[in-house]
Amino acid sequence: MDRQRLLGDIEGGLESLGLEHSAGFADALADYVGLLDHWNRAYNLTAVRQPKDMVARHLLDSLAVLPFIGAGPVLDVGTGAGLPGLVLALAHREQPFVLLDASGKKTRFVEHAARQLGLDNVSVVRERVEDYRPGEEFPTVISRAFASLEAFASAAGHLVGPGGRLLAMKGELPESELADLPAGWRLCGVHRLQVPGLDARRHLLEFIRGEAAP
């Protein structure tokens, strides 16, 4: 891995996103890519094999949702290799993030990465989202892992606190899925995301409790 070239790609991507960041942030992101690349060779954590491709498809894709996260604890459902939660936690080290996944190999990696990156604001939970009962609800629950919006809302809806939101990261706008939302949830925002270096449509969808408009 050519670290200097990787850092250049990361810095360029952060500039394109217009994200102000602290000194050392790009280095921390590069460290994360290095950890992911190393573990990926043995544990197949992501289908993205090349570090240079991880910049746009993992780092910048995750950071593109940063303006919509809001305050308070964030739950990342189906975090996988820590996406987007670990990357967001690097950007907001003062904000608590809980990263949830049912896969042991993935949660072991995320725990290791959080320690190596000095992320005291990250908690990692190995659990099926349907079974997770943390004793508290979250103002923001996010995922880019679920196949359908209906599955996401059905599985994770019980974890959203009063006035809270479900945030679903998607590619193309899934019009057909919107018609299948469970009762009691409605779409309140659609954000087209521009991810530097990614030649694909990306959207962030926001959902709150309440009946859909007729």
Side-chain angles (χ1 to χ4, degrees), residues 86-109:
L86 200 68
V87 176
L88 297 174
L90 279 169
H92 282 180
R93 287 179 175 265
E94 75 291 346
Q95 188 170 3
F97 286 82
V98 177
L99 278 52
L100 177 72
D101 203 284
S103 168
K105 69 179 181 180
K106 292 175 180 176
T107 53
R108 284 193 295 273
F109 166 73

Side-chain angles (χ1 to χ4, degrees), residues 54-89:
M54 292 176 185
V55 174
R57 295 177 64 180
H58 288 337
L59 300 185
L60 303 181
D61 186 54
S62 296
L63 290 170
V65 306
L66 195 60
F68 308 102
I69 292 300
V74 176
L75 173 64
D76 177 14
V77 172
T79 191
L83 302 162
L86 200 68
V87 176
L88 297 174

Side-chain angles (χ1 to χ4, degrees), residues 57-205:
R57 295 177 64 180
H58 288 337
L59 300 185
L60 303 181
D61 186 54
S62 296
L63 290 170
V65 306
L66 195 60
F68 308 102
I69 292 300
V74 176
L75 173 64
D76 177 14
V77 172
T79 191
L83 302 162
L86 200 68
V87 176
L88 297 174
L90 279 169
H92 282 180
R93 287 179 175 265
E94 75 291 346
Q95 188 170 3
F97 286 82
V98 177
L99 278 52
L100 177 72
D101 203 284
S103 168
K105 69 179 181 180
K106 292 175 180 176
T107 53
R108 284 193 295 273
F109 166 73
V110 175
E111 287 173 340
H112 173 75
R115 286 195 301 270
Q116 293 297 308
L117 297 167
L119 288 172
D120 297 330
N121 57 328
V122 168
S123 301
V124 182
V125 178
R126 181 186 176 186
E127 186 105 53
R128 284 170 47 87
V129 61
E130 297 88 344
D131 301 329
Y132 183 43
R133 297 293 187 275
E136 63 176 349
E137 296 168 324
F138 295 84
T140 302
V141 176
I142 190 169
S143 182
R144 73 171 197 167
F146 273 83
S148 74
L149 297 175
E150 186 278 333
F152 181 34
S154 296
H158 69 283
L159 297 164
V160 180
R165 302 167 302 149
L166 286 169
L167 300 182
M169 297 173 67
K170 286 289 195 177
E172 294 284 348
L173 190 63
E175 300 281 2
S176 61
E177 293 180 29
L178 292 172
D180 295 328
L181 281 178
W185 289 98
R186 66 180 178 88
L187 180 69
C188 66
V190 177
H191 308 282
R192 174 80 178 271
L193 304 176
Q194 300 293 334
V195 180
L198 193 61
D199 186 21
R201 292 180 183 271
R202 298 293 290 155
H203 291 84
L204 181 70
L205 281 66

Side-chain angles (χ1 to χ4, degrees), residues 33-73:
V33 170
L35 291 167
L36 181 54
D37 178 48
H38 179 73
W39 277 58
N40 206 38
R41 297 173 196 173
Y43 296 104
N44 195 30
L45 299 173
T46 169
V48 182
R49 312 306 299 182
Q50 299 300 321
K52 63 182 179 63
D53 297 328
M54 292 176 185
V55 174
R57 295 177 64 180
H58 288 337
L59 300 185
L60 303 181
D61 186 54
S62 296
L63 290 170
V65 306
L66 195 60
F68 308 102
I69 292 300

